[in-house]
Amino acid sequence: MRRIYLLIPLVLLGLALGQTGPSYIDAELQRLIQAGGQSYANSLLKQAPDQALCSIHRNKLPADVLGPFIEAQRQTIKYPADGKLMGDWKQGDAIFNTLARGNCFSCHVGSPRNIGGNVGPSLEKYGQRGTSEAVQKYTYEVIYNTWAYFPCTVMYRFGHGGLLKPEEIAHVVAYLLDPASDFNTKPALKR
Amino acid sequence: MGRFWRLVGAVALALFSLMVLAQEEDDPAKEAEKQKKQLLEQSGGILPSDLYVEQGEQLFKAKRGPKNASLEACDFGRGPGKLEGVVGRLPRYFFDTRRVEDLDSRIRTCMIRLQGFKPEEISRSEVVAIAFYIASLSNEQPVVVRPLMPQEKKLYELGERLFYLRAGPRDMGCATCHVTYVGKRAGVLPYSDLLKDKRAASHWPAFRYSNDQAWTMADRIRACYANLGMPAPDFYSEPIIALTLFMNVQANGARMDLPGFIR
């Protein structure tokens, strides 16, 4: 019996999200997507309300949507259990420079190990910003959920999307900020 | 068949030396042109795509399948057996299937209807080879895809909406890269400008010299999804046809470069 009581708020939350969230996929688009096969449809039809907003506005949110959108994205950010936003830069190195993990180098210049892309801003010598709490927090949050700072941008929301754990994001923050990190002591590879 | 294997040998040799010599230009179009020239010099005037065209022609003209028929009566939109310029006019609505079809799905339709193959018997590599053959007969022809039928208009509109849709753990969406970040690089190639650069959609099917693969637009679209960790739509499925229709309309007026030769 107690289990059922525990489920009620979850069900209500689900209903609330389902009813109030903006929707991009109408019946016709849903039918088209379903024609693409089961796994394709399962993946696309799970579109979240924030993804729907970016789709509706073609990645340029109007002013009245922007404020609440950013606020909602901020609310999703979680931090490492030990509260440390800078972890081990060597572990961060592996994440930053691996295609199947962070894949950061594909879009950003700065890595001494991989030639960087230019979809994102250059992060060359990122550590020059110092390691103040504010810089650590900003860096961590942009990686955890970039939409809290750059709504609808192309960069993955690593923490929010479950691609990296909070501790792993802290390792990447250390790779970028630690003065001893290869990222700050060795020259960046460029095209 | 003798000419076929001579082609295989020449192309294999040329590709090998190409990999050894590979040195890259910055502009991908210029780089492809350079690689193409090199390959032509080394192979004595034969490109890998010629091989697929040749294979496709054989498959197209041979009597095959349970009905022991060739594909020569297949109607790609300009009448049965008329192949010149058809690739630049697809996708379009076909009255016999009551569907909008692209090059790949139309080939499949004819393999089923004319040759009697079951859908599960259709070989993807055969469809690609046949697509290369048909594409070779559309080279230098203009792209003229104008959605006029209600079914075409509807699918175009859905294709446009699918193009802007974002989903999945990486918030994937076609427009995010191919509108917002055109010309920028994530990896080796810059994102093509699918809304403004008419060349972007007018060189498919294409041979990719970097990985020695023959791709149609369907393979290109599926790779975009896969690169961002998303399940791709099935071959010959409507989402692929809708996206292709949307992109080909943007390429209207372009002179087709077929089969394409790209990185």
Side-chain angles (χ1 to χ4, degrees), chain A residues 58, chain B residues 91 145 147 155-164 179 194-195 201 240-251:
Chain A
R58 299 190 168 181
Chain B
V145 185
L155 201 67
Y156 174 86
E157 189 200 300
L158 288 171
E160 179 171 21
R161 282 163 60 199
L162 186 55
F163 186 78
Y164 285 96
V179 174
L194 290 175
L195 298 188
I240 288 181
I241 299 167
L243 287 170
T244 306
L245 178 58
F246 174 69
M247 291 188 282
N248 285 6
V249 167
Q250 315 308 312

Side-chain angles (χ1 to χ4, degrees), chain A residues 24 36 40 51 118 152 157, chain B residues 161 166 168 171 185 225 234:
Chain A
Y24 181 70
Y40 178 68
Q51 292 174 328
N118 62 357
C152 306
R157 294 176 289 166
Chain B
R161 282 163 60 199
R166 300 195 67 178
D171 303 311
R185 286 167 202 270
Y225 281 101
D234 293 342

Side-chain angles (χ1 to χ4, degrees), chain B residues 24 31 52 62 64 68 82 90 103 117 127 140 146 166 174-175 184 199 211 218 224 238 260:
Chain B
E24 273 183 54
E31 170 64 17
Y52 291 102
R64 303 168 70 233
N68 196 36
K82 287 213 162 42
L90 292 170
L103 179 59
F117 285 111
V127 172
E140 311 246 303
R146 305 209 190 285
R166 300 195 67 178
C174 312
K184 301 279 189 179
R199 292 175 310 171
N211 57 7
C224 279
E238 259 191 300

Side-chain angles (χ1 to χ4, degrees), chain A residues 24-26 28-29 31-40 43-48 50-52 54-56 58-59 99-101 105-107 116-120 147 152-157 160-163 191, chain B residues 24-26 154-155 157-172 175-177 179-181 183-189 191 225 227-240 242-243:
Chain A
Y24 181 70
I25 303 173
D26 64 5
E28 277 180 322
L29 191 53
R31 196 199 50 74
L32 177 83
I33 290 166
Q34 278 163 341
Q38 186 95 63
S39 48
Y40 178 68
S43 174
L44 264 68
L45 296 179
K46 256 188 251 154
Q47 190 189 48
D50 48 14
Q51 292 174 328
C54 294
S55 310
I56 291 164
R58 299 190 168 181
N59 299 324
L99 200 76
R101 297 185 75 193
F105 67 90
S106 281
C107 293
N118 62 357
V119 167
W147 284 8
C152 306
T153 191
V154 69
M155 181 169 148
Y156 314 154
R157 294 176 289 166
H160 183 267
L163 303 166
R191 286 184 66 88
Chain B
E24 273 183 54
E25 281 265 352
D26 217 44
K154 188 81 242 169
L155 201 67
E157 189 200 300
L158 288 171
E160 179 171 21
R161 282 163 60 199
L162 186 55
F163 186 78
Y164 285 96
L165 184 147
R166 300 195 67 178
R170 290 176 177 79
D171 303 311
M172 186 259 186
T176 322
C177 296
V179 174
T180 314
Y181 292 97
K184 301 279 189 179
R185 286 167 202 270
V188 188
L189 281 180
Y191 290 119
Y225 281 101
N227 286 348
L228 286 166
M230 297 278 280
D234 293 342
F235 279 116
Y236 319 111
S237 69
E238 259 191 300
I240 288 181
L243 287 170

Side-chain angles (χ1 to χ4, degrees), chain B residues 44-105:
Chain B
I46 300 154
L47 287 174
S49 41
D50 299 337
L51 186 68
Y52 291 102
V53 170
E54 174 111 358
Q55 193 193 355
E57 185 175 4
Q58 285 174 14
L59 287 166
F60 189 85
K61 291 180 176 168
K63 290 191 164 68
R64 303 168 70 233
K67 292 189 183 170
N68 196 36
S70 81
L71 290 172
E72 285 160 310
C74 188
D75 181 357
F76 286 90
R78 305 191 84 180
K82 287 213 162 42
L83 299 179
E84 279 72 25
V86 294
V87 175
R89 293 158 192 266
L90 292 170
R92 54 158 288 164
Y93 180 78
F94 288 91
F95 286 95
D96 54 1
T97 53
R98 287 196 231 152
R99 286 186 57 193
V100 178
E101 295 184 276
D102 62 2
L103 179 59
D104 297 30
S105 58

